[in-house]
Amino acid sequence: ESKGNYAADDRLISGAFNILSSLRGGTLVSKNPEKQEEMGVSDTAGLHVTFLKEDGAPVLDFFLGNRGPVSESQYVRLAGRPEVYLFSESLAFYFYKAEWRNKSILGLSADDIAEFAIKSSSGKISYAKSDAEWKIQADGKLEPAPDAEKVKSLVADIANLSGLSFAENDEAKMIDFEARKDSVKLWVKTNQGA
């Protein structure tokens, strides 16, 4: 659950929906509510997963429990139901996330990037795309990039840049990025000029 109302990471949501849509019927292993705690699917022990429509109505509501007796298997119970099922696929990777918030920084594709520059304590380097090829910008001139494949790889990394976590407001205010000697600045210009 995220603090605040933020956009979710589309890749995480897609992965979760893909695994759910690929599930084949689980095996009914219990109808006894007293067994739910033991299998990790009780209202207090299980991971409660709820998918909601925009109006707040639930689409899917279930509890993920412990791993089953067979590798990668997992217990699952629909909310409000006593039946516990054992699925042969583990859902843990897709749902045990501390943060579902989208951490994408630029949200671009590599093809969107027209120019970029990187500045660090060791200097600044600028690149621009010209005639579908990446070139170094120096003194107002464009020169062929020495290793075009490495530049293409760097552009793909820049386009897909994402954070690991978010600084809380008080924490973010304490960081003086201008004073840090190890900071790196990145400028990006898209084909649309932004």
Side-chain angles (χ1 to χ4, degrees):
E1 182 173 304
S2 296
K3 294 177 185 173
N5 188 15
Y6 300 103
D9 187 323
D10 290 339
R11 292 173 297 178
L12 295 177
I13 298 298
S14 293
F17 277 120
N18 286 341
I19 192 69
L20 287 173
S21 66
S22 70
L23 284 177
R24 299 298 167 241
T27 303
L28 178 64
V29 292
S30 177
K31 292 182 181 181
N32 183 351
E34 293 175 11
K35 295 281 190 181
Q36 292 175 4
E37 190 76 29
E38 178 184 319
M39 294 181 208
V41 293
S42 70
D43 289 356
T44 57
L47 175 67
H48 192 186
V49 178
T50 306
F51 289 95
L52 304 172
K53 294 180 186 176
E54 285 187 43
D55 66 2
V59 176
L60 184 60
D61 194 3
F62 62 95
F63 291 90
L64 288 180
N66 299 334
R67 286 186 172 175
V70 178
S71 176
E72 297 302 315
S73 62
Q74 189 162 17
Y75 295 108
V76 177
R77 180 179 67 86
L78 290 173
R81 303 291 306 259
E83 299 89 356
V84 178
Y85 295 89
L86 180 64
F87 285 89
S88 60
E89 299 90 349
S90 174
L91 304 173
F93 174 79
Y94 296 96
F95 293 100
Y96 284 94
K97 306 284 183 200
E99 179 69 66
W100 287 79
R101 187 173 163 186
N102 185 349
K103 297 176 194 78
S104 174
I105 294 173
L106 298 177
L108 300 172
S109 76
D111 292 337
D112 292 334
I113 299 175
E115 297 179 23
F116 70 95
I118 301 171
K119 182 180 179 183
S120 70
S121 59
S122 59
K124 180 179 177 181
I125 188 162
S126 301
Y127 290 89
K129 196 186 308 182
S130 175
D131 299 324
E133 294 294 324
W134 283 102
K135 302 195 176 182
I136 294 177
Q137 284 184 322
D139 301 323
K141 297 179 183 175
L142 292 175
E143 302 289 334
D147 192 339
E149 290 306 311
K150 284 186 180 178
V151 176
K152 285 181 186 176
S153 178
L154 178 59
V155 169
D157 289 343
I158 290 169
N160 292 309
L161 195 61
S162 64
L164 297 174
S165 63
F166 293 93
E168 297 299 325
N169 286 338
D170 292 340
E171 182 183 11
K173 290 175 186 174
M174 292 174 35
I175 302 170
D176 183 1
F177 290 104
E178 296 299 325
R180 294 191 61 133
K181 300 214 184 300
D182 61 345
S183 67
V184 175
K185 293 182 180 180
L186 171 68
W187 291 269
V188 175
K189 183 176 179 182
T190 66
N191 295 322
Q192 291 78 30

